[in-house]
Amino acid sequence: ATRAMIHAVDTSAQPARGTAAKRLEPEPIGALTWLLVAVALVPIVVAIVRVLTGPAAGFHATSDNALNELLVRDVGRHPVLLGPYSRDAWSHPGPLFSYVSAIPYRLLGSRSSAMLADALIINGLAIGVTITVAKRWGGLVFAIPVVLLEALLITSLPLGFLEDPWNPFVTVLPFGAFLMVAWAATCGDRWAYPVAALIGTFCVQTHVGYTSLVVAVLAWCGWRAWRDRDTNGLVGSWWAAGTLGLLWFAPLVEQLIHSPGNFRTTFHYFRTTTEPAHSIADGLKVMAAQFSLVPDWLVGLRGVSPFSGEPAALGSTPVPVLLVPFGVVVALVIRSDDRRKRRLVAVLLIPLVVGVVTLAQTVGPMYEYRLRWIWVLAGLCVTFTIAHAAQMLGHHTTRNRGRPVLVVCVAATVVFGAFGVARVTSYERPDAGGTKTLSALSTAVLRQLPDRPGVVVLNAKTFLTSKYLAGLVLAMEQAGVRVKIHNRSPLRESFSDHRRYDHEPLRARLLIASNREIEAAAARSGARPIAYVSSISRARRASALRAFNRLIARGVTGYDRRLAELSKDLVATAVFSLPISAGPRPAQTHSRP
């Protein structure tokens, strides 16, 4: 049924194969277009100023964001051939995010707050591109609802989302821009196909979950250019091919010079993982939830399982009320002779169908934070429905009754824009707790490092300490300290080869420990604590630990109020200095650039 629908969208009122189609003419881009873009970007501009000058200016990245910032710092200094680290020794496919981020990161001071500004710049560009293409090929009747959609997303996405450079987040709004530019490519814009290849590659290389969505839409663009026999489309196809070849050169080089390469490791993981996949029914539920009467993209994030992090829709049966009018509009457009709208319908239908299949193939938990691209897709579908309804009201009545719809959209945009500005000005600092802990740890460590040449080797052994391992490496590099990762650390795979110890003189050996790991670290021969961060003193924490162990010895298990209270007092992070006489052995193999 889906294939027949897309075929109808493609072939209705089309010229015979092998003949050139009459070229579509876009709407002019003028001052009004730039005004719409400026209105939508006001909260983004305010947020950039806030993260560079306000409390967020003291932000220190930890965990994945610190790892990603380290990759950005490597640009121009070391080969960066892969994207953000994911899991089990594989990374996301390519380094485009690092190269895109490097220039603003350097210009804005090479600090973690510059990465926040960089994420805002990327999202701002995505918003601007989406609105501009909507005006170019859909006119004001489509552009104004799209501006409202962007204002809604700015306010409905979780607080701090737009400035978070984490790779599952920084790709969401660019995916919407990708769909719009792909639409422009099918309408004959010569520049649009290579730009769609660029934005789509950014999404895929930054987060592998976009692969099937982007490949399907780009394939449609190529087929559309071939069928139309339009000179602009064919030239754009060649430019897109060249763009893809250039952007995927680095990952291909990585695959050739390493064994096994990242492509092979990633494929092996997905082929051999024992984590169960989901079903088509699960995919339909998650997709349908964003077409319910009160979807998340309209009212904000809700309905997430506190235990698994998955959407609550998996345990219910959402009713996709908003999908009904969209389906009616799709049917009307297929029967019309408006080729621009038919091609937009195809660009929206492809990720809807492919997305359900992709969701069904998700291995392990279907974490909600990976699924916010559905917000953008569903929002564009509903926005297109509103625009088409407004246009029909204007064409089929003696008065232009569609104009009030646009006036309401403009008024709502102003309201949500003001709310968006209020949100970003009230937002203090992302990960305030992690920033405070890392700042205290790095200050104490840097103060107590011995004054001698050599490298500092850091070690951490568990997921609990991984959050601060990358952050401490970043902080020490920013302070000009040469730092390496212990080669026996299970977390070493998340770091590039040049950050692994390789037979160099040692300046210090440091071990990071968190919570109940602290006692085991302190018991190591020659271990000396040089940094400790907790809400209570070491003496009080030691007393709480003794009480906790007594309860465990008496057989107290499960949820117990006393254990829960004592567990709060055990939360701490410490750094220990170890003797350098038993230093780590140099790395024997290199598998990551």
Side-chain angles (χ1 to χ4, degrees):
T2 302
R3 184 183 303 171
M5 182 177 293
I6 293 181
H7 179 72
V9 171
D10 170 59
T11 58
S12 178
Q14 294 296 321
R17 183 177 301 177
T19 63
K22 183 179 179 181
R23 182 169 296 172
L24 297 173
E25 295 298 328
E27 298 281 340
I29 300 298
L32 185 56
T33 305
W34 306 126
L35 177 61
L36 292 175
V37 173
V39 169
L41 292 183
V42 169
I44 300 293
V45 173
V46 174
I48 291 174
V49 174
R50 287 281 295 173
V51 300
L52 293 177
T53 62
F59 167 69
H60 290 283
T62 61
S63 195
D64 289 352
N65 278 342
L67 289 172
N68 294 346
E69 187 173 342
L70 288 170
L71 287 176
V72 174
R73 292 178 64 85
D74 284 346
V75 173
R77 300 173 177 175
H78 301 277
V80 181
L81 305 179
L82 295 178
Y85 182 74
S86 182
R87 66 178 84 175
D88 293 340
W90 64 272
S91 297
H92 293 280
L96 188 53
F97 171 71
S98 298
Y99 287 99
V100 167
S101 303
I103 293 178
Y105 179 74
R106 298 296 181 189
L107 291 176
L108 296 175
S110 301
R111 47 184 177 153
S112 293
S113 57
M115 291 295 293
L116 304 181
D118 174 63
L120 287 165
I121 291 170
I122 291 172
N123 285 319
L125 288 173
I127 291 171
V129 168
T130 302
I131 295 170
T132 303
V133 175
K135 172 61 171 62
R136 179 171 172 81
W137 289 105
L140 277 178
V141 73
F142 185 42
I144 290 176
V146 166
V147 175
L148 175 58
L149 171 64
E150 300 295 349
L152 275 170
L153 289 172
I154 288 173
T155 57
S156 62
L157 286 166
L159 196 61
F161 180 92
L162 293 176
E163 55 260 45
D164 194 332
W166 194 28
N167 53 302
F169 290 176
V170 79
T171 47
V172 171
L173 294 188
F175 179 68
F178 163 74
L179 294 178
M180 289 293 96
V181 176
W183 174 37
T186 63
C187 291
D189 271 335
R190 179 181 300 185
W191 57 268
Y193 201 175
V195 173
L198 171 66
I199 302 174
T201 297
F202 172 83
C203 292
V204 172
Q205 289 192 359
T206 308
H207 198 282
V208 71
Y210 288 92
T211 302
S212 57
L213 302 170
V214 169
V215 168
V217 173
L218 286 180
W220 161 259
C221 292
W223 189 87
R224 183 72 269 168
W226 173 81
R227 182 175 178 82
D228 284 348
R229 294 294 195 272
D230 177 66
T231 302
N232 281 345
L234 293 173
V235 172
S237 298
W238 284 109
W239 278 105
T243 300
L244 290 171
L246 177 64
L247 296 177
W248 287 96
F249 178 74
L252 289 174
V253 168
E254 191 279 336
Q255 176 65 34
L256 292 174
I257 65 177
H258 292 99
S259 180
N262 188 63
F263 284 141
R264 182 177 177 182
T265 304
T266 305
F267 177 76
H268 180 266
Y269 167 79
F270 283 106
R271 187 173 62 87
T272 61
T273 181
T274 57
E275 294 182 282
H278 289 262
S279 63
I280 291 293
D282 291 336
L284 288 170
K285 289 178 181 179
V286 172
M287 190 70 74
Q290 299 308 324
F291 286 93
S292 65
L293 201 56
V294 282
D296 290 341
W297 59 267
L298 185 63
V299 299
L301 181 61
R302 57 192 172 78
V304 180
S305 170
F307 302 104
S308 66
E310 296 183 298
L314 289 175
S316 61
T317 307
V319 181
V321 177
L322 298 179
L323 202 57
V324 175
F326 175 69
V328 172
V329 167
V330 168
L332 293 174
V333 168
I334 289 175
R335 297 177 59 186
S336 74
D337 59 355
D338 191 331
R339 286 189 288 154
R340 289 187 292 185
K341 287 186 178 178
R342 287 202 306 273
R343 294 179 183 188
L344 176 57
V345 164
V347 167
L348 295 177
L349 283 177
I350 289 171
L352 272 177
V353 176
V354 174
V356 170
V357 178
T358 301
L359 292 170
Q361 297 301 315
T362 302
V363 295
M366 193 184 292
Y367 294 117
E368 185 279 332
Y369 66 80
R370 298 176 183 168
L371 308 179
R372 291 176 195 167
W373 58 268
I374 307 177
W375 294 26
V376 175
L377 177 59
L380 286 174
C381 292
V382 174
T383 299
F384 173 64
T385 303
I386 294 171
H388 186 78
Q391 192 172 45
M392 288 183 62
L393 287 173
H395 285 172
H396 299 292
T397 58
T398 55
R399 298 181 185 178
N400 189 352
R401 298 187 182 277
R403 186 171 298 170
V405 176
L406 301 184
V407 171
V408 170
C409 288
V410 171
T413 298
V414 173
V415 172
F416 282 106
F419 184 50
V421 172
R423 287 185 93 214
V424 299
T425 54
S426 64
Y427 186 51
E428 293 300 323
R429 179 188 292 173
D431 191 20
T435 292
K436 182 179 179 181
T437 299
L438 179 61
S439 179
L441 288 175
S442 59
T443 299
V445 168
L446 291 172
R447 186 172 58 244
Q448 298 203 42
L449 283 178
D451 186 15
R452 58 172 171 255
V455 298
V456 176
V457 175
L458 275 173
N459 193 5
K461 297 185 176 181
T462 66
F463 179 77
L464 284 174
T465 50
S466 65
K467 177 175 183 177
Y468 297 112
L469 176 62
L472 193 54
V473 170
L474 175 62
M476 295 175 75
E477 284 194 5
Q478 289 172 330
V481 175
R482 296 178 60 212
V483 57
K484 303 282 186 174
I485 303 300
H486 196 293
N487 287 295
R488 293 184 181 177
S489 172
L491 307 174
R492 67 189 181 280
E493 292 291 347
S494 57
F495 293 87
S496 303
D497 270 356
H498 68 88
R499 289 194 173 90
R500 300 185 198 175
Y501 179 69
D502 191 15
H503 198 63
E504 299 166 273
L506 284 171
R507 180 179 179 182
R509 292 178 60 213
L510 305 180
L511 174 65
I512 309 174
S514 291
N515 301 351
R516 300 189 70 184
E517 305 168 9
I518 293 176
E519 282 63 40
R524 294 185 58 163
S525 176
R528 179 174 63 88
I530 61 172
Y532 173 83
V533 179
S534 177
S535 60
I536 61 175
S537 67
R538 299 184 195 183
R540 183 178 168 188
R541 184 179 177 280
S543 176
L545 180 61
R546 288 192 295 270
F548 185 92
N549 290 334
R550 284 195 297 268
L551 289 175
I552 295 296
R554 284 159 44 189
V556 177
T557 58
Y559 178 78
D560 182 90
R561 183 180 59 82
R562 294 168 297 174
L563 284 178
E565 291 297 325
L566 289 170
S567 295
K568 296 178 182 178
D569 290 338
L570 299 182
V571 176
T573 303
V575 179
F576 293 86
S577 174
L578 302 178
I580 64 172
S581 57
R585 296 178 180 178
Q588 298 298 317
T589 60
H590 299 279
S591 60
R592 293 174 55 81

